[in-house]
Amino acid sequence: PCALVISIPLSFFGGIGCASTNGILVKGSNYLEALADTKYIVFDKTGTLTKGVFEVSGIYPEQGTSKEQLIEYAAYAESGSSHPISVSLKKAYGKEMSLERVYDIEEIAGHGVKAVVDGKTVYAGNLRLMNKIGISVSREYDEGTMVYVAVDNSYAGCITISDVIKETSKDAISGLKKHGIKQTVMLTGDAKKTAEKVAKEIGMDKVCSELLPADKVNEVEKLLAQKNAKEKLAFVGDGINDAPALTRADTGIAIGAGTDVAIDAASVVLVKSRLRDVPAAIRLSRATLRNIHENLFWAFFYNVIGIPLAAGVW
């Protein structure tokens, strides 16, 4: 009879141990069980589906501003940030920066930054930031992530920055669909056209673009409300802004190369940062539960036959 009791924890121990061997850290048997019932998976874009390695791909100054001036203003305005987009702007500037030239740097969450550079007020960020400060943009671009720049309340131009999709992203999404995932969703703060282009290339079912950090949790909440009680939702992310969504989802999956905050908030960690480990984790969780059901069946069958037989012989 002890086989009926011991087969369940031993199977979970085996499943968690096998996952760890393959670079998937599962923080509890309940999360391994939840993975088996997952039908919806939501992905953050930057750093998760893409490499998060940005490069300046285009500089489009307005009349009266040169390309060199535009990238200089943007680089100095972003000089206090370690965000990948900020790093790419400073790299494109390519000169040693004198931080005495910039002060009063203010981050505007979900929009961009404001700073005073050489005595001029500079705004650098997305289109929402330009609309917020009442700046009219002459032309919008869809080449990648756009950084619009305004100097002293005048539109100075736009810088386009491209991110690189991870080689394994498309295969990972394809693998999830083979495992019966109903819907894959991508969340991003990028412009709609850029986001849809990336989502189409990867093979995502749905994309939600132009999101503020807090909007990610709202989108997760909407999906949680749509699914039935037996279905589970997983969120895959890597950044500080992803932590609330990782916590709110039935299963939070963090990329191992991501931030410590995301790793702490997640219930599953992909230690090797391989996106293909997401379908592998689901496959392993389902194999573990299948093993538990088989163990229970044979233990019950053996006891039903064996105990009366033993009692009769005795």
Side-chain angles (χ1 to χ4, degrees), residues 21-306:
T21 302
N22 288 279
I24 304 169
L25 176 62
V26 183
K27 297 182 180 179
S29 58
N30 54 324
Y31 301 121
L32 190 65
E33 187 175 4
L35 276 173
D37 296 324
T38 298
K39 293 296 181 182
Y40 297 85
I41 300 188
V42 184
F43 292 86
D44 170 54
K45 173 185 160 287
T46 305
T48 303
L49 293 169
T50 63
K51 293 181 178 180
V53 179
F54 293 89
E55 293 184 352
V56 172
S57 56
I59 304 174
Y60 305 100
E62 284 292 286
Q63 190 172 3
T65 304
S66 67
K67 289 186 177 182
E68 291 76 15
Q69 288 176 320
L70 183 61
I71 195 70
E72 183 177 22
Y73 281 129
Y76 270 96
E78 297 276 4
S79 61
S81 175
S82 59
H83 190 280
I85 291 179
S86 303
V87 173
S88 68
L89 289 169
K90 288 179 277 190
K91 183 180 178 181
Y93 178 55
K95 300 178 183 178
E96 187 176 347
M97 301 183 71
S98 173
L99 298 183
E100 295 177 355
R101 295 176 55 189
V102 57
Y103 54 93
D104 288 348
I105 299 175
E106 177 187 346
E107 183 177 349
I108 305 171
H111 292 76
V113 295
K114 173 188 176 184
V116 178
V117 181
D118 295 336
K120 297 181 179 180
T121 302
V122 178
Y123 287 90
N126 54 30
L127 190 59
R128 289 194 300 270
L129 177 61
M130 296 295 107
N131 293 333
K132 184 176 181 178
I133 62 176
I135 298 295
S136 177
V137 173
S138 59
R139 180 183 173 187
E140 297 180 32
Y141 298 86
D142 59 355
E143 299 176 16
T145 300
M146 285 80 73
V147 178
Y148 297 95
V149 181
V151 180
D152 282 345
N153 295 320
S154 296
Y155 179 57
C158 174
I159 301 169
T160 61
I161 300 172
S162 300
D163 194 1
V164 181
I165 297 173
K166 289 181 179 179
E167 295 82 358
T168 58
S169 293
K170 189 173 181 178
D171 291 338
I173 300 303
S174 177
L176 288 172
K177 292 179 179 179
K178 290 178 182 178
H179 283 74
I181 299 301
K182 284 187 176 181
Q183 189 177 57
T184 54
V185 183
M186 185 182 83
L187 305 183
T188 178
D190 288 354
K192 185 177 180 180
K193 289 183 179 179
T194 302
E196 288 178 345
K197 181 180 179 181
V198 173
K200 184 178 180 180
E201 186 172 344
I202 296 174
M204 304 295 293
D205 297 318
K206 180 181 178 181
V207 57
C208 299
S209 57
E210 300 180 359
L211 299 176
L212 296 173
D215 293 336
K216 291 182 180 180
V217 179
N218 295 334
E219 293 298 330
V220 170
E221 292 279 4
K222 290 178 184 178
L223 289 168
L224 287 170
Q226 292 173 8
K227 68 180 184 61
N228 64 49
K230 293 183 179 180
E231 296 174 334
K232 301 296 183 182
L233 179 143
F235 181 89
V236 187
D238 73 311
I240 295 175
N241 292 335
D242 299 327
L246 286 166
T247 304
R248 182 63 188 90
D250 295 313
T251 306
I253 304 175
I255 304 297
T259 62
D260 291 340
V261 175
I263 291 172
D264 289 341
S267 46
V268 177
V269 180
L270 307 181
V271 179
K272 297 182 180 179
S273 302
R274 300 178 306 200
L275 208 59
R276 65 173 180 268
D277 284 343
V278 177
I282 292 176
R283 183 170 62 251
L284 178 61
S285 66
R286 292 176 180 175
T288 300
L289 287 187
R290 184 168 60 250
N291 189 53
I292 289 173
H293 295 152
E294 289 174 357
N295 287 346
L296 288 174
F297 171 79
W298 287 112
F300 182 75
F301 177 80
Y302 178 84
N303 281 281
V304 167
I305 300 298

